[in-house]
Amino acid sequence: MSVSQTDCANVAYVCSVVSNRAAHMVAAGIASLLKRMKKPYVTVGVDGSVYRFHPTFPAALDQKIDDLLDENVEFQLMLSEDGSGRGAALVAAVATRMKLESQAHVLKLQMDKMNAS
């Protein structure tokens, strides 16, 4: 069985379409989260071999996120070298910090209420 140039072109086209669709789907999720965060600048950690090694995926992802966001939202995609381990540790650290800040805020409100009485 021989492979023609047309066969190769068709496979390349299908790969391109699938890659772009994947980038657009990931971009939709990231853009939705960034819109909900309502912050002017966010750095997004990205992990995975597709982002790391695919020749056009990072640019397609970046462009689609940019297309989906308002002009006043800035973002940066940053490759996470050890995504799983560091990502889990980072999530745990942020969750702990948010819990402590919430507890401190509640305590401050209680103290303010006591002082006002």
Side-chain angles (χ1 to χ4, degrees):
M1 177 175 183
S2 65
V3 178
S4 70
Q5 284 188 338
T6 303
D7 293 335
C8 292
N10 287 336
V11 169
Y13 174 73
V14 170
C15 290
S16 172
V17 169
V18 170
S19 298
N20 281 325
R21 183 172 187 268
H24 289 186
M25 291 177 71
V26 172
I30 292 171
S32 294
L33 291 172
L34 294 177
K35 286 179 182 181
R36 290 185 132 219
M37 290 175 70
K38 297 181 181 176
K39 295 196 181 242
Y41 182 80
V42 178
T43 299
V44 179
V46 182
D47 181 33
S49 57
V50 173
Y51 185 83
R52 179 180 280 179
F53 298 117
H54 192 284
T56 62
F57 192 88
L61 178 61
D62 189 67
Q63 182 60 52
K64 191 60 176 179
I65 295 170
D66 198 43
D67 292 346
L68 294 171
L69 289 177
D70 298 330
E71 291 182 14
N72 58 344
V73 178
E74 296 291 324
F75 69 95
Q76 172 187 4
L77 299 177
M78 180 176 288
L79 179 63
S80 174
E81 296 295 329
D82 178 27
S84 303
R86 288 185 189 166
L90 181 60
V91 168
V94 169
T96 301
R97 179 178 173 192
M98 289 176 67
K99 182 177 179 181
L100 291 173
E101 287 176 355
S102 176
Q103 290 171 343
H105 180 70
V106 168
L107 184 60
K108 183 182 180 320
L109 291 175
Q110 290 173 345
M111 295 293 287
D112 290 346
K113 189 176 183 180
M114 288 175 50
N115 289 335
S117 300

